[in-house]
Amino acid sequence: GSEMCIRDRDYIMASMLKKLDSCAYHAITSVVEGTYTGENQVLGLSDGGVDVTTEKSNIQVSDSIKEQLDDLKAKVISGEIEVPYELK
């Protein structure tokens, strides 16, 4: 994944991870299953295409904040929070 925390550990407390391994798996699976269309695919938290981490940061993140991040992540996955996106 791509982690911003490792760039400046003293100022960045959380990073979004681009889970390229998961994206590659989805693409290969679609080829094997004969469902590959060649179109852009959007993978998010629920698909394992991205994730969030507080690891590798020098900022101490409390358990309370980690719980809030996990709660927000669960709400995005469930659809309770909708994340807008637009492919260009």
Side-chain angles (χ1 to χ4, degrees):
S2 176
E3 298 175 47
M4 291 301 296
C5 285
I6 61 175
R7 291 187 181 189
D8 204 338
R9 297 170 195 247
D10 293 328
Y11 297 98
I12 300 173
M13 97 171 156
S15 290
M16 288 305 299
L17 302 174
K18 298 173 191 167
K19 308 274 302 231
L20 298 179
D21 56 337
S22 181
C23 296
Y25 176 81
H26 281 275
I28 291 167
T29 300
S30 70
V31 169
V32 170
E33 293 176 348
T35 59
Y36 181 76
T37 64
E39 296 176 5
N40 288 328
Q41 299 293 309
V42 177
L43 301 177
L45 285 169
S46 62
D47 305 305
V50 295
D51 205 349
V52 63
T53 185
T54 57
E55 294 179 16
K56 299 185 182 177
S57 174
N58 288 337
I59 298 172
Q60 184 65 33
V61 180
S62 70
D63 289 340
S64 172
I65 295 294
K66 289 179 185 178
E67 288 173 11
Q68 289 178 45
L69 283 172
D70 288 341
D71 183 51
L72 289 169
K73 181 178 166 181
K75 287 179 179 179
V76 169
I77 291 170
S78 74
E80 185 177 339
I81 296 175
E82 187 175 329
V83 179
Y85 68 88
E86 181 179 333
L87 292 177
K88 294 183 180 190

